Amino acid sequence: MDVIEYTPTREQYVYTFGGAAPAMRITPGTALRLWSDDAFGGALRSVDDLSSAKVDLRFVNPQTGPFYVEGAEPGDTLALHLVALEPARDWGASAAIPFFGGMTSTDRVVTLQEPLPDTTWIYELDRDRNTVAFAARHSEHRIELPVEPMLGTVGVAPAGGEVRSSLVPDRFGGNMDTPQMRAGSTVFLGVNVEGALFSVGDGHYRQGEGEACGTAVEGAMTTTLIVELIKGGGPAWPRLEDDTHWMTVGSSRPMEDSWRIGNAELVHWVAGLYGLHPMDAYQLCSQVAQVPVANVVDANYSVVVKAAKALLPAADAFGGIHADLRARARSLGAV
């Protein structure tokens, strides 16, 4: 399988979902190898680089794309299979940004507290050991952590001509910040405009569930993915499938509404997969679902609701395309 490579120039970075001209037109079945910059656009390179001086929050989460998928129409399903995610730099950056994060005052959760100290951490990548090193700023501690690459942002253009910031997760995908968005996963997104116009970015070398401080180990990423199109059947909210789980993502505020969206979507999906009455699917999902919190820091909060395939009868979603994409990925060297 041939792979098309694309590395944007800084002038070609896109900071929205919707509202941007396509960087490239591709046909379904295409494999892409895409370079994306880190969330800060490479601005934080040492612990002396502070976000208040170096980062403009209007221009964070630069996207690579968008890509126009030939034949994609509103109501269709875009399937993106993540074949490989490879750190593209030997360091990643994380930061406590004033008035941004899950454990500080923000513009929406307003208190009289001063902002937490503007602080930057740099994580050195050891490719041989496949680790990143946490180096404490206020003590001598240094801890090696496994690299677990993921994409913070995967999305399509929204419906209704909307243009949404790349900081936002919603029905169109976007900045969901879930560690489930990793190599081996297939994400299903409902197409809202002709061509779908999908883009990816916001690579993380690792991230805890919730992304509590507002930033992961942010790093430039090289992503290999396969693009497929399923006519019709577009899901209302993003769905994910890997070899072990069915997953749905809800994004809203307050967080319980994210949880409700994700649960409702999983109930509908399970009902469709197994021919169950919605009430029976509701009961079944209530006993098997796991609910990792993806992020509590974005404009909307994202919650993943997942069901282990091992607990359920065998089933094929979207015509079994995940298994087919996994087989195609192996021809590109994927495990």
Side-chain angles (χ1 to χ4, degrees), residues 127-301:
R127 293 184 185 275
D128 292 333
R129 298 173 62 184
N130 199 36
T131 61
V132 286
F134 164 75
R137 293 296 312 279
H138 303 289
S139 66
E140 298 301 316
H141 287 286
R142 182 181 174 91
I143 301 171
E144 300 288 331
L145 300 171
V147 174
E148 296 179 354
M150 53 164 281
L151 290 178
T153 53
V154 177
V156 295
E162 281 193 301
V163 178
R164 304 294 296 276
S165 165
S166 55
L167 280 173
V168 176
D170 211 307
R171 291 175 179 269
F172 58 87
N175 194 30
M176 296 176 282
D177 283 322
T178 170
Q180 311 294 330
M181 198 72 70
R182 57 197 175 198
S185 292
T186 303
V187 56
F188 302 101
L189 299 166
V191 175
N192 302 304
V193 302
E194 287 188 7
L197 295 177
F198 79 88
S199 60
V200 303
D202 189 25
H204 297 174
Y205 295 172
R206 68 169 295 117
Q207 178 207 302
E209 291 175 356
E211 199 184 21
C213 79
T215 59
V217 180
E218 310 284 345
M221 194 75 75
T222 300
T223 300
T224 303
L225 57 84
I226 303 172
V227 183
E228 265 302 353
L229 180 65
I230 303 159
K231 297 303 291 182
W237 289 84
R239 296 180 179 182
L240 287 149
E241 181 182 355
D242 62 17
D243 293 347
T244 60
H245 288 84
W246 313 107
M247 295 170 273
T248 54
V249 186
S251 298
S252 188
R253 282 198 185 195
M255 190 184 298
E256 56 261 37
D257 282 345
S258 307
W259 176 87
R260 290 186 181 104
I261 292 167
N263 270 278
E265 288 299 302
L266 186 66
V267 167
H268 294 318
W269 200 6
V270 167
L273 285 172
Y274 299 107
L276 291 173
H277 187 281
M279 286 300 295
D280 288 324
Y282 178 29
Q283 171 59 211
L284 178 59
C285 289
S286 296
Q287 310 312 327
V288 302
Q290 298 172 299
V291 189
V293 175
N295 83 75
V296 293
V297 297
D298 294 338
N300 289 324
Y301 299 153

Side-chain angles (χ1 to χ4, degrees), residues 10-227:
R10 185 168 291 272
E11 292 71 28
Q12 292 172 317
Y13 292 173
V14 175
Y15 298 93
T16 62
F17 290 94
M24 186 184 300
R25 297 174 75 105
I26 60 172
T27 58
T30 298
L32 298 172
R33 183 174 170 86
L34 308 174
W35 186 91
S36 58
D37 208 342
D38 68 54
F40 308 116
L44 302 184
R45 295 173 174 265
S46 81
V47 296
D48 297 321
D49 292 328
L50 299 182
S51 59
S52 57
K54 298 283 188 175
V55 177
D56 185 337
L57 288 179
R58 297 173 301 168
F59 303 107
V60 294
N61 282 0
Q63 298 299 291
T64 295
F67 297 92
Y68 185 106
V69 181
E70 299 287 358
E73 299 174 306
D76 291 344
T77 304
L78 182 71
L80 302 175
H81 181 71
L82 302 180
V83 177
L85 303 178
E86 306 162 73
R89 290 193 181 115
D90 289 332
W91 52 269
S94 193
I97 300 173
F99 294 124
F100 183 78
M103 300 294 288
T104 185
S105 303
T106 72
D107 63 340
R108 297 197 188 193
V109 183
V110 180
T111 73
L112 294 177
Q113 293 173 323
E114 293 295 314
L116 293 177
D118 192 352
T119 311
T120 299
W121 291 262
I122 298 298
Y123 287 75
E124 296 173 2
L125 176 69
D126 187 322
R127 293 184 185 275
D128 292 333
R129 298 173 62 184
N130 199 36
T131 61
V132 286
F134 164 75
R137 293 296 312 279
H138 303 289
S139 66
E140 298 301 316
H141 287 286
R142 182 181 174 91
I143 301 171
E144 300 288 331
L145 300 171
V147 174
E148 296 179 354
M150 53 164 281
L151 290 178
T153 53
V154 177
V156 295
E162 281 193 301
V163 178
R164 304 294 296 276
S165 165
S166 55
L167 280 173
V168 176
D170 211 307
R171 291 175 179 269
F172 58 87
N175 194 30
M176 296 176 282
D177 283 322
T178 170
Q180 311 294 330
M181 198 72 70
R182 57 197 175 198
S185 292
T186 303
V187 56
F188 302 101
L189 299 166
V191 175
N192 302 304
V193 302
E194 287 188 7
L197 295 177
F198 79 88
S199 60
V200 303
D202 189 25
H204 297 174
Y205 295 172
R206 68 169 295 117
Q207 178 207 302
E209 291 175 356
E211 199 184 21
C213 79
T215 59
V217 180
E218 310 284 345
M221 194 75 75
T222 300
T223 300
T224 303
L225 57 84
I226 303 172
V227 183

Side-chain angles (χ1 to χ4, degrees), residues 1-3 31-33 81-86 183-184 224-226 324-335:
M1 178 185 295
D2 292 333
V3 180
L32 298 172
R33 183 174 170 86
H81 181 71
L82 302 180
V83 177
L85 303 178
E86 306 162 73
T224 303
L225 57 84
I226 303 172
D324 176 62
L325 289 167
R326 287 287 279 152
R328 282 191 254 172
R330 283 191 283 273
S331 72
L332 299 176
V335 176

